[in-house]
Amino acid sequence: VALRMAHDLMETNNITMEELSSAERDNELGVLGQWNKGDKAYKIWERTLASAMAKLFDCQIVYTHKNKKLSMNFVGREGNVKTSWIMYDWIHDKLWNDAKAKFIPYSASSCNAYCVGAANTIFTRVCEMKKDDINAGKKWGLVIANEVCAYVKQLYPILGKMNSKSTIKDYKAYANGKVDGKSIGLNKQFGLKCISR
């Protein structure tokens, strides 16, 4: 009865389910926007990790060139963007500190290889999580992702592709990182806590 009454009210006021869903998303996650992570020469593993966090929280990463450096921008709903960069910062620092603790005396190439391995594993895990969501019928993220794509095209009408490969000099460190990347917590509920802060 309540459902029938709700539908009658919607019909009387010309409100569609799409409009309700959109309003709910705007309330929970905020309007579409972007956040600049800063300009620097981002390493491959940092870009892989940023892409993973953006994908996990239905955002996109856009890189632009500024003064021979890359500007990394998270684009998406306000709450998702905030969560993405908080998670990015937390995991980034954890990986780098773990790498430095493992490779004493310090070796830049070993630390980098370790982080590349870990970031690749995290990205693969995120892809699997998103695939599971789609298979379970959770298509809300897809709707947001489509909105974000359209918004990115408005903000950045011309975008060049970045093709680059990581040079791995220490395959043992890389393998170590791949294993450790499986134990990094990727709990999506963390996002809701971030949004409420």
Side-chain angles (χ1 to χ4, degrees):
V1 174
L3 188 61
R4 196 178 306 123
M5 285 172 69
H7 279 288
D8 288 344
L9 272 171
M10 285 169 61
E11 198 173 310
T12 305
N13 295 292
N14 282 335
I15 297 170
T16 65
M17 285 302 290
E18 270 182 21
E19 287 171 324
L20 283 179
S21 296
S22 176
E24 198 175 294
R25 283 197 302 277
D26 289 353
N27 259 358
E28 189 177 336
L29 300 171
V31 295
L32 284 163
Q34 63 177 332
W35 189 79
N36 179 276
K37 186 73 194 75
D39 307 336
K40 69 172 204 167
Y42 287 98
K43 296 183 176 80
I44 302 289
W45 71 269
E46 291 174 313
R47 284 159 29 197
T48 303
L49 180 61
S51 295
M53 293 304 100
K55 190 175 185 68
L56 184 61
F57 294 104
D58 305 308
C59 296
Q60 277 195 24
I61 288 287
V62 177
Y63 295 100
T64 52
H65 293 272
K66 280 186 181 177
N67 307 325
K68 298 183 181 177
K69 290 181 180 176
L70 281 177
S71 177
M72 184 162 79
N73 306 281
F74 285 91
V75 183
R77 295 243 164 229
E78 216 171 52
N80 286 351
V81 166
K82 183 179 178 185
T83 307
S84 297
W85 68 255
I86 288 172
M87 285 289 280
Y88 169 84
D89 277 347
W90 179 75
I91 295 174
H92 177 281
D93 293 349
K94 178 172 176 29
L95 291 182
W96 192 248
N97 290 333
D98 286 355
K100 286 195 294 186
K102 282 177 190 285
F103 305 107
I104 299 170
Y106 172 75
S107 161
S109 64
S110 294
C111 286
N112 187 60
Y114 173 88
C115 290
V116 170
N120 287 351
T121 295
I122 289 166
F123 187 83
T124 302
R125 285 175 59 204
V126 167
C127 290
E128 286 166 4
M129 287 167 72
K130 297 304 274 184
K131 191 176 173 184
D132 290 345
D133 280 353
I134 291 166
N135 291 340
K138 295 177 185 171
K139 296 190 178 171
W140 189 38
L142 282 178
V143 175
I144 295 174
N146 289 337
E147 289 174 357
V148 172
C149 285
Y151 186 61
V152 166
K153 282 178 187 170
Q154 281 176 27
L155 290 176
Y156 305 98
I158 300 166
L159 275 178
K161 284 194 175 179
M162 274 194 337
N163 296 320
S164 45
K165 288 184 179 177
S166 228
T167 306
I168 306 297
K169 293 180 181 173
D170 186 336
Y171 283 96
K172 191 175 178 184
Y174 175 81
N176 236 337
K178 280 195 79 74
V179 170
D180 287 355
K182 291 177 184 172
S183 64
I184 298 286
L186 297 175
N187 186 350
K188 282 199 78 173
Q189 291 305 310
F190 177 81
L192 299 175
K193 290 177 189 170
C194 290
I195 293 163
S196 64
R197 282 183 189 160

